[in-house]
Amino acid sequence: MTEVNENTALLGTSPTKSRFRLKAKTRKIMIATFVLFALAALLFQISDSSTVPHTKPKSDNKKNVIFFVTDGMGPASLSLARSFRQYKYDLPMNDTLFLDHYLIGSSRTRSSDSLVTDSAAGATAFSCALKSYNGAIGVDPFNAPCGTILEGAKLNGYMTGLVVTTRITDATPASFSAHADFRIQEDLIALHQLGNYPLGRMVDLMIGGGRTHYYSGKSRYGPSGTRKDNRNLIDEAINNGWQYVGSRSEFDSLKLGHNVSLPLLGLLADYDIPFDLDRSHSKYPSLEEQTITALNALSAATKNSDKGFFLLVEGSRIDHAGHQNDPAAQVREVLAFDRAFKAAVEFAENSDVETILISTSDHETGGLVTARQVTDDYPEYLWYPQVLDNAQHSGEYLQMKILNYDGNNKKEFVAKEVLKNDLNITDYTENDLHELVTLADGSKLQEKLNDMVSVRAQVGWTTHGHSAVDVNIYAFANKQETWLDILKNLQGNHENTEIGSFMARYMGIDLVKVTGLINETDHSAGINVKEINRVDLYDKYHHKLLNLRND
Ligand SMILES: *[C@@H]1O[C@H](CO)[C@@H](O)[C@H](O)[C@H]1NC(C)=O
Ligand SMILES: *[C@@H]1O[C@H](CO)[C@@H](O)[C@H](O)[C@H]1NC(C)=O
Ligand SMILES: *[C@@H]1O[C@H](CO)[C@@H](O)[C@H](O)[C@H]1NC(C)=O
Ligand SMILES: *[C@@H]1O[C@H](CO)[C@@H](O)[C@H](O)[C@H]1NC(C)=O
Ligand SMILES: [Zn+2]
């Protein structure tokens, strides 16, 4: 079987490569130590009852693959969320996240053109199993469309799905289902996702936000579509046989996947689904509900097939909380993801189809540290989870609440309604209050609010962007041999592309062959490279904060 090899020439700038020579003896000792560790880890994994496969799947060919991306979740996010959960629910110090039981390794995340990746190159490493440049959506470093594991799965007879909490046209889901030179070509990405490219429709189910790139102007689906070509892709999709759901009540009519007709287009917000911390349960489903719905629908649709399904589930907005340096929003995003992952493990445990789950992050965001020096004195060894528990809303939500205030005592409103009621912060200075009342720029206001929370929690951030720290790999399989196969390939420290290669091989996908079928894809539409500025390239929605939320 052929696979797209990681183009090592592209990594030729890597400063660590081959200059480092160890003495033979030292090398032998290191190798022996490594083997011992690997064996110990293998035995530990096998004896840990929570990860031992329980079920006995029937078929040898029928497989389900559920791939999870925790966008922007680094190791510190897990530590933060774990301690927060212990504090909030009064749990013992040995209590862990559900995800913690499934840790098998870590992933290196650099892209072809930078030591710090963005989500587009990060996701393309998983989807095409190759390193590409920051901003690349399912294209290689020379802008040539590369076959993805979602396309390969569909061509091999699998059903396919995408579940996210941000725009369905955003970098991670796009890199599996579209081919574009730059992530900002979201109008084009929406077209590909519905099948307007050489392969035709490859996606059977989409649930997330991002309705705005599916229609133009005002329509019955929403007030402000942003497509520049005046098309209404939602109407077109419905005419082509898609079931469309655009609201919580329509989502509820899907009966958690038991009343779905595929293909399904679920666009539940114009942009992002709100942070779990801010989410109105009557307006938006949780990531767990979205995931269960997708699993049930895909499972039912493949019931009589000898092929299973490939599903991507993204905890998309862990990344946004990282960009915004908002620890209170981030811990809730991580916990919401943990519940979705748990639901999928339970699904796999109860399925008689061979099912694997792999979960990893594309990169870390925010340079988060679970400690922060807040005075000139020698720092205390602690951080305060109760400060995050006190926060009833994200900075993103609260800056809007302040900016939308139209009464005549803003100072009292901010002091009482925001600082006291929403954040339970009472030790602010007159200067803090003055800033919150007078700042007119939403992103500055958000920055101020999130900093007030972070400083009090003694949680540190080093960037509003991404970092190069390694991220964790988690896995589960409901069949012993498959589980050992995963460990053999992904235990320890790996390049992100190896995760894509593993899934391709597991589903019997020849990515080179898929690449050969899509060379005529229009991947450059709607873009004038000279007009793009560097920041917009990465994320035009979350660097410039827009007043876009619709709840
Ligand atoms: C956690 O600690 C408690 C005692 O505080 C103990 O009873 C329990 O078995 C421990 N659980 C694990 C998973 O180690
Ligand atoms: C099932 O879905 C159909 C639309 O596809 C809807 O008319 C019906 O009300 C749904 N059933 C339930 C029980 O919600
Ligand atoms: C506000 O914070 C204080 C100090 O941490 C705490 O004692 C109090 O219970 C909190 N109030 C609410 C409503 O959570
Ligand atoms: C795409 O590949 C086919 C078959 O190899 C070839 O005939 C065609 O010229 C290629 N098109 C482009 C645009 O490279
Ligand atoms: Zn990001």
Side-chain angles (χ1 to χ4, degrees):
M1 179 183 326
T2 355
E3 282 168 31
V4 173
N5 282 322
E6 178 192 323
N7 192 338
T8 42
L10 296 165
L11 293 168
T13 53
S14 168
T16 53
K17 227 180 143 188
S18 78
R19 272 194 221 141
F20 195 59
R21 287 271 177 272
L22 288 169
K23 287 206 182 87
K25 192 176 164 194
T26 320
R27 256 204 326 254
K28 271 181 202 151
I29 293 170
M30 283 182 69
I31 290 168
T33 313
F34 172 79
V35 169
L36 275 176
F37 265 104
L39 274 175
L42 194 72
L43 284 173
F44 172 78
Q45 292 285 351
I46 292 169
S47 64
D48 177 351
S49 65
S50 65
T51 55
V52 165
H54 302 298
T55 50
K56 296 261 177 297
K58 286 173 193 154
S59 152
D60 274 348
N61 321 318
K62 188 165 177 178
K63 295 167 177 176
N64 297 325
V65 175
I66 312 168
F67 181 52
F68 294 85
V69 176
T70 41
D71 200 309
M73 184 175 84
S77 305
L78 289 143
S79 174
L80 195 79
R82 195 186 299 119
S83 300
F84 169 78
R85 200 176 97 96
Q86 288 171 2
Y87 169 82
K88 185 171 177 63
Y89 301 105
D90 203 14
L91 301 166
M93 68 172 94
N94 63 1
D95 185 82
T96 60
L97 300 178
F98 186 79
L99 197 58
D100 284 323
H101 298 284
Y102 300 89
L103 180 67
I104 62 163
S106 58
S107 163
R108 308 189 291 273
T109 65
R110 70 158 297 173
S111 64
S112 69
D113 67 340
S114 175
L115 288 172
V116 179
T117 187
D118 84 320
S119 292
T124 299
F126 304 137
S127 67
C128 293
L130 56 76
K131 295 275 186 185
S132 198
Y133 57 91
N134 287 1
I137 299 292
V139 294
D140 75 9
F142 312 101
N143 299 88
C146 50
T148 74
I149 57 170
L150 182 143
E151 292 164 334
K154 181 72 180 171
L155 293 169
N156 281 1
Y158 287 70
M159 300 289 264
T160 62
L162 304 170
V163 165
V164 303
T165 51
T166 183
R167 304 179 311 284
I168 198 83
T169 49
D170 195 23
T172 307
S175 297
F176 287 80
S177 54
H179 304 277
D181 296 345
F182 298 103
R183 54 185 295 170
I184 58 171
Q185 293 162 273
E186 293 182 54
D187 284 3
L188 176 70
I189 289 164
L191 278 169
H192 288 185
Q193 289 178 324
L194 291 177
N196 295 276
Y197 79 121
L199 291 178
R201 183 173 65 72
M202 291 285 112
V203 189
D204 293 300
L205 174 149
M206 290 188 257
I207 307 175
R211 196 193 293 123
T212 187
H213 289 285
Y214 277 79
Y215 71 101
S216 326
K218 197 167 146 53
S219 93
R220 82 181 107 140
Y221 305 111
S224 51
T226 52
R227 285 197 72 78
K228 296 207 174 78
D229 59 9
N230 286 320
R231 284 169 75 169
N232 189 325
L233 300 190
I234 302 175
D235 278 337
E236 290 181 30
I238 293 168
N239 290 336
N240 287 326
W242 289 74
Q243 178 179 7
Y244 173 73
V245 295
S247 65
R248 171 86 212 204
S249 60
E250 287 169 10
F251 176 86
D252 287 343
S253 78
L254 302 176
K255 299 285 163 214
L256 290 176
H258 297 296
N259 186 34
V260 168
S261 118
L262 296 181
L264 172 73
L265 179 61
L267 299 176
L268 303 172
D270 261 351
Y271 294 89
D272 298 316
I273 292 174
F275 281 131
D276 209 62
L277 175 55
D278 303 324
R279 182 172 61 88
S280 153
H281 294 215
S282 63
K283 287 185 182 161
Y284 302 95
S286 63
L287 181 61
E288 180 188 11
E289 290 171 277
Q290 289 178 244
T291 303
I292 292 172
T293 300
L295 290 171
N296 286 335
L298 292 169
S299 179
T302 51
K303 193 160 163 263
N304 298 317
S305 167
D306 60 354
K307 291 286 160 53
F309 61 79
F310 169 80
L311 174 66
L312 169 75
V313 176
E314 186 192 30
S316 318
R317 305 205 64 208
I318 299 168
D319 173 68
H320 297 175
H323 281 292
Q324 297 170 8
N325 294 359
D326 186 339
Q330 184 167 86
V331 290
R332 272 75 163 204
E333 289 303 293
V334 172
L335 295 182
F337 176 81
D338 202 43
R339 289 189 283 271
F341 182 83
K342 181 167 192 259
V345 169
E346 284 165 3
F347 168 87
E349 282 179 331
N350 293 320
S351 175
D352 58 8
V353 178
E354 182 180 326
T355 301
I356 68 168
L357 281 72
I358 295 176
S359 182
T360 191
S361 305
D362 44 1
H363 54 74
E364 195 270 352
T365 303
L368 171 65
V369 195
T370 48
R372 176 170 185 151
Q373 181 167 359
V374 292
T375 69
D376 287 340
D377 298 332
Y378 191 79
E380 301 171 288
Y381 289 173
L382 51 77
W383 71 274
Y384 292 110
Q386 58 266 43
V387 176
L388 309 191
D389 191 29
N390 281 341
Q392 300 305 304
H393 280 293
S394 69
E396 177 183 89
Y397 179 98
L398 293 176
Q399 60 86 7
M400 259 183 274
K401 179 168 169 172
I402 294 173
L403 289 181
N404 290 337
Y405 176 71
D406 61 359
N408 50 24
N409 197 342
K410 193 168 176 186
K411 197 167 169 179
E412 188 187 281
F413 173 78
V414 171
K416 255 174 110 168
E417 298 296 323
V418 176
L419 291 174
K420 187 159 184 301
N421 287 354
D422 292 329
L423 296 175
N424 192 12
I425 290 178
T426 48
D427 61 346
Y428 54 85
T429 64
E430 263 305 306
N431 268 345
D432 291 330
L433 187 56
H434 179 75
E435 259 186 79
L436 292 175
V437 170
T438 52
L439 278 172
D441 178 306
S443 50
K444 294 220 172 80
L445 199 46
Q446 176 177 288
E447 172 79 29
K448 173 72 185 171
L449 289 158
N450 289 341
D451 191 53
M452 287 178 78
V453 172
S454 296
V455 165
R456 282 166 178 76
Q458 299 198 19
V459 165
W461 303 92
T462 59
T463 176
H464 284 285
H466 299 170
S467 80
V469 71
D470 288 353
V471 294
N472 292 342
I473 306 175
Y474 304 87
F476 174 78
N478 64 2
K479 188 174 163 188
Q480 185 81 34
E481 295 94 298
T482 319
W483 173 239
L484 294 174
D485 190 25
I486 294 176
L487 288 183
K488 203 174 104 206
N489 287 281
L490 296 177
Q491 189 171 46
N493 183 255
H494 293 271
E495 211 54 68
N496 51 6
T497 47
E498 293 176 60
I499 299 170
S501 301
F502 176 79
M503 291 188 287
R505 179 173 67 72
Y506 180 69
M507 290 186 279
I509 295 165
D510 181 344
L511 285 173
V512 170
K513 211 164 144 189
V514 181
T515 297
L517 301 173
I518 54 172
N519 67 338
E520 311 228 318
T521 304
D522 177 5
H523 51 92
S524 304
I527 201 93
N528 180 346
V529 179
K530 293 202 187 76
E531 283 174 7
I532 303 171
N533 77 54
R534 199 184 60 85
V535 167
D536 274 359
L537 211 58
Y538 289 168
D539 189 339
K540 71 172 169 171
Y541 291 110
H542 296 101
H543 286 271
K544 278 193 237 120
L545 192 143
L546 304 175
N547 222 348
L548 294 168
R549 280 260 313 287
N550 46 7
D551 76 327

